[in-house]
Amino acid sequence: SEAGISEKSETKEDVNMARDFEFELFGIDWLKFKLTPEDGISVENEADLAAWSTADWEKIADRCRNGHDWYELLTFCPALVDRCDWTKFSGDEWSCYISEHPEAFSMCNFSLLDEFDWSFLLEKQPQLAEEYDWVDFDGKKWMHLLCDQPQFSKYCDWEKLDGEAWSDLLRKQ
């Protein structure tokens, strides 16, 4: 009985470790992880992808379980954007995706984006500034953003910057 518990724990740990490992995979390595021998397709580099059919990509789409999976898939096959399950995206995944594909901004669940996500996104896509209400930005976030994107100063609540934030901001300018 005790051995059975140990085996179940090990199995659960193995599953968790595999899931954690998958989140560390990007690009071609992620695609290789998603393939099975039964698929009859392989990939060693991006040039191999030219031979993939729509059905091959659909197999991978069927295996997308989370936002990371969808983000990676859409990187390789943007044609599947209409099939994407956007509810799987986290704020971080949204900010990364929109930073590369601003046309997806209208599909975003903005409540998932925290100030770090917004800061990253606005550094990459400054034209989206008008869509943000700025209330969640504290002095440190303002300092970070203004160092890279001083044009956002017109939105800044300067009273949120404490002495340290001012010092850092001035030192980086």
Side-chain angles (χ1 to χ4, degrees):
S1 150
E2 204 169 305
I5 292 172
S6 176
E7 287 174 18
K8 286 182 182 176
S9 296
E10 288 174 4
T11 302
K12 185 176 181 180
E13 287 174 16
D14 289 343
V15 169
N16 287 336
M17 189 168 29
R19 186 178 57 226
D20 292 343
F21 175 73
E22 181 180 358
F23 278 109
E24 295 176 10
L25 295 174
F26 299 93
I28 295 296
D29 291 332
W30 175 84
L31 272 176
K32 288 179 185 178
F33 184 78
K34 288 295 181 185
L35 293 173
T36 66
E38 294 80 33
D39 292 331
I41 53 177
S42 65
V43 61
E44 293 303 320
N45 56 53
E46 289 196 34
D48 295 339
L49 300 177
W52 281 33
S53 69
T54 302
D56 295 334
W57 287 111
E58 291 288 337
K59 289 177 190 176
I60 303 300
D62 290 340
R63 297 176 189 149
C64 288
R65 297 186 326 266
N66 52 52
H68 174 76
D69 286 349
W70 281 108
Y71 179 86
E72 288 296 319
L73 178 61
L74 293 174
T75 299
F76 289 107
C77 189
L80 291 175
V81 70
D82 292 333
R83 183 153 178 230
C84 181
D85 183 355
W86 298 107
T87 65
K88 305 285 187 190
F89 272 53
S90 67
D92 180 56
E93 290 152 352
W94 271 116
S95 66
C96 289
Y97 189 76
I98 294 171
S99 73
E100 298 168 6
H101 304 279
E103 67 278 6
F105 192 73
S106 64
M107 296 182 285
C108 181
N109 178 353
F110 299 112
S111 67
L112 297 175
L113 277 66
D114 63 19
E115 56 274 4
F116 297 106
D117 299 325
W118 275 105
S119 183
F120 175 80
L121 175 58
L122 292 172
E123 285 176 22
K124 305 293 182 192
Q125 296 292 339
Q127 76 278 10
L128 299 177
E130 294 178 19
E131 304 297 326
Y132 190 54
D133 66 12
W134 304 100
V135 76
D136 295 328
F137 263 55
D138 62 17
K140 194 169 199 166
K141 284 20 162 236
W142 276 116
M143 181 275 304
H144 174 74
L145 183 63
L146 294 175
C147 282
D148 293 328
Q149 302 274 343
Q151 74 269 25
F152 291 121
S153 63
K154 64 185 174 188
Y155 299 107
C156 183
D157 180 354
W158 295 101
E159 293 182 13
K160 290 187 175 184
L161 277 72
D162 62 14
E164 183 179 349
W166 271 109
S167 176
D168 289 343
L169 179 61
L170 294 172
R171 186 174 29 245
K172 292 180 181 181
Q173 289 301 316

